[in-house]
């Protein structure tokens, strides 16, 4: 039952316990209890709204993915380094990676210069950081499973002479 609830909430966090109970054929009290238990266990960590900021006039945002190579700390591994990085308010996500670098850090800033200053003044100087490589997001096509702009098909009939 919990996995069913999680799948439903992941796709639409606005669903009520009553709606979920109907959809999975369970009692509303059972669903509420399960949701509360999953929130307390930090299985459900929040309820976010996915916004396409390109369609608004109120917020200019620059998103960057930063590849970071680090030296893991003795006895702590990568966890302490990650903790130092995710403390910054600009940081939206931190992922431990396999391959040519250790972390992917996703940040947001108002301008490319602001992002560059974050990297130069806050991230790169951390003593465990060996190198960084910054990639700016130019356009989002799909995020968290949501396609931002569907292809607009021309519904007109082709007429030829």
């Amino acid at each position: 039952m919990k996995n069913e609830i999680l799948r439903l909430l992941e796709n639409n966090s606005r669903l009520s316990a009553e709606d979920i109970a109907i959809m999975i054929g369970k009692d509303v009290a059972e669903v509420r209890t399960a949701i509360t238990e999953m929130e307390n266990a930090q299985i459900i960590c929040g309820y976010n709204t996915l916004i396409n900021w390109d369609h608004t006039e109120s917020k200019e945002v620059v998103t960057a993915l930063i590849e970071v190579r680090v030296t893991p700390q003795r006895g702590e591994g990568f966890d302490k380094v990650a903790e130092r990085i995710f403390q910054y308010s600009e940081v939206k996500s931190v992922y431990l990676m396999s391959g040519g670098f250790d972390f992917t850090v996703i940040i947001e800033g108002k301008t490319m210069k602001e992002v560059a200053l974050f990297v130069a003044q806050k991230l790169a100087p951390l003593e465990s950081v060996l190198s960084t490589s910054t990639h700016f997001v130019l356009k989002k096509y799909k995020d968290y499973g949501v396609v931002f702009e569907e292809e607009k098909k021309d519904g007109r009939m082709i007429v030829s002479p």
Side-chain angles (χ1 to χ4, degrees), residues 89-102:
S89 63
E90 298 91 340
V91 174
K92 300 302 172 194
S93 302
V94 178
Y95 303 104
L96 180 62
M97 306 297 292
S98 64
F101 55 94
D102 302 304

Side-chain angles (χ1 to χ4, degrees), residues 97-121:
M97 306 297 292
S98 64
F101 55 94
D102 302 304
F103 292 115
T104 295
V105 178
I106 300 174
I107 72 163
E108 289 183 351
K110 291 179 184 163
T111 63
M112 286 186 174
K113 183 176 182 176
E114 186 177 282
V115 170
L117 288 173
F118 169 80
V119 174
Q121 295 175 353

Side-chain angles (χ1 to χ4, degrees), residues 28 30 62 69 87-88 103 135 146:
V28 177
E30 275 184 278
V62 174
R69 289 186 59 232
Q87 296 300 318
Y88 292 110
F103 292 115
H135 307 275
V146 176

